[in-house]
Amino acid sequence: MFVFVCAGCGAELTAPLSRVTLPVHAHQKYGNGIQLPVLMEPGTFAVEPEHWGPPWRRWEEVHPDEAAARGVHAPVHALSDGAPGAIVIAPGDTRGTRLIPERAGGYCCGLDGADGPNMACGSCGLAVASRIDDCSLWQAVWLAPDAVRRPEGGAHAPPLSWAELLAEGKGTPPFEPITTWGARRGSNHWWSWSPRWEAAAGRALAHLLAALEGRPVAVPDGLAQEVFRRALDALLPPGPPVRRAVLAGPGRPAPAAHADILLVPVHPQTGKLWTPAGRSPSAYPVPLPFGVWLWLAFPEPHLPFPASGVMPDGVLRDDPPAPRPHHPLRADPGAFEHALVRLPAVRGTWLREILDNLIDHTRARIF
């Protein structure tokens, strides 16, 4: 557990926190006028390893060699010149801070951090963080890496094993209610695919396309078909599958030797990919957040109708399943682009064409 302190005066700025991996949806902008929940679980923090936040430079102002050195291999709208290593926490985990009124700008309904840090240390006044709570953005506080420090020491608990994570069973449901900004409880909400799933699908789809090199693929039946098949059918040439993607990970059977692509979980604490023991490194690993992978690999059962009388063995609940969305899942285009431009394979003509036509694909509701 760590407590972050002000680099200027040493005052404590956070509750004790433990580190987790940065969520795929950390920088997601979802819909228009949508009220998204808090990004981070209470008591946790994550680090953005890349440059992020203002000031920004348009792509035309960045030399290709500089972009490549930063791991960006295709044009983007802009690159950040903010310091790398920003720390994101839940707003409720801040301590001893205050808002800076003259930097409390936002795009629409709240704060978006576009003017730079908008929170100051309550003891010395140093600008230390950006509070984000505007509509369609995940609520979070981003600590400025050059304005805070993490004192040495603190307890270092070992990360959970894959078996322990599996036993915890913290899956991410694929559907959830979406609420408009300022809506009263019970009004202006609808059931939709989870924004977390759409972001995870965006990143995974970029890796899938890079692995496929324009060849058709077979993906697992069930929910994985709903997540990937529609986009793959639209972006890949027609024809029988010549490659095979399978779900692999803890608690699953060993992947078959002829599997070309493995859909595997990312450890939520360390960020490491699950790797099969003794598996040939030729199979391409496609990363999925552990909670999303867990639901794909071990979908939770639902009753077709409410149970009555004595609960039978094996029944986990007696309420009906959550309503399903009325539209197919569309991978998040921002998460897709963010992942794809960081893969060297995007330099190829086929992937570059998909990237260049991303706006058209989005309008066609592929994304």
Side-chain angles (χ1 to χ4, degrees), residues 218-240:
V219 296
D221 292 333
L223 197 52
Q225 288 274 350
E226 295 188 64
V227 172
F228 298 114
R229 189 72 270 160
R230 182 171 177 270
L232 292 174
D233 286 344
L235 299 174
L236 293 173

Side-chain angles (χ1 to χ4, degrees), residues 104-190:
Y107 176 71
C108 184
C109 303
L111 306 174
D112 65 5
D115 297 330
N118 55 26
M119 297 179 69
C121 171
S123 298
C124 70
L126 179 67
V128 294
S130 296
R131 172 74 161 99
I132 308 296
D133 60 10
D134 206 350
C135 61
S136 298
L137 301 177
W138 290 86
Q139 298 182 48
V141 167
W142 290 84
L143 302 174
D146 53 356
V148 303
R149 58 184 176 86
R150 189 175 65 189
E152 297 296 330
H156 294 267
L160 297 177
S161 67
W162 289 110
E164 290 170 328
L165 287 170
L166 200 61
E168 275 193 347
K170 289 186 178 180
T172 303
F175 317 122
E176 63 180 80
I178 303 298
T179 306
T180 56
W181 184 266
R184 295 175 297 175
R185 181 180 293 274
S187 67
N188 294 330
H189 78 272
W190 63 93

Side-chain angles (χ1 to χ4, degrees), residues 49 199 217:
V217 64

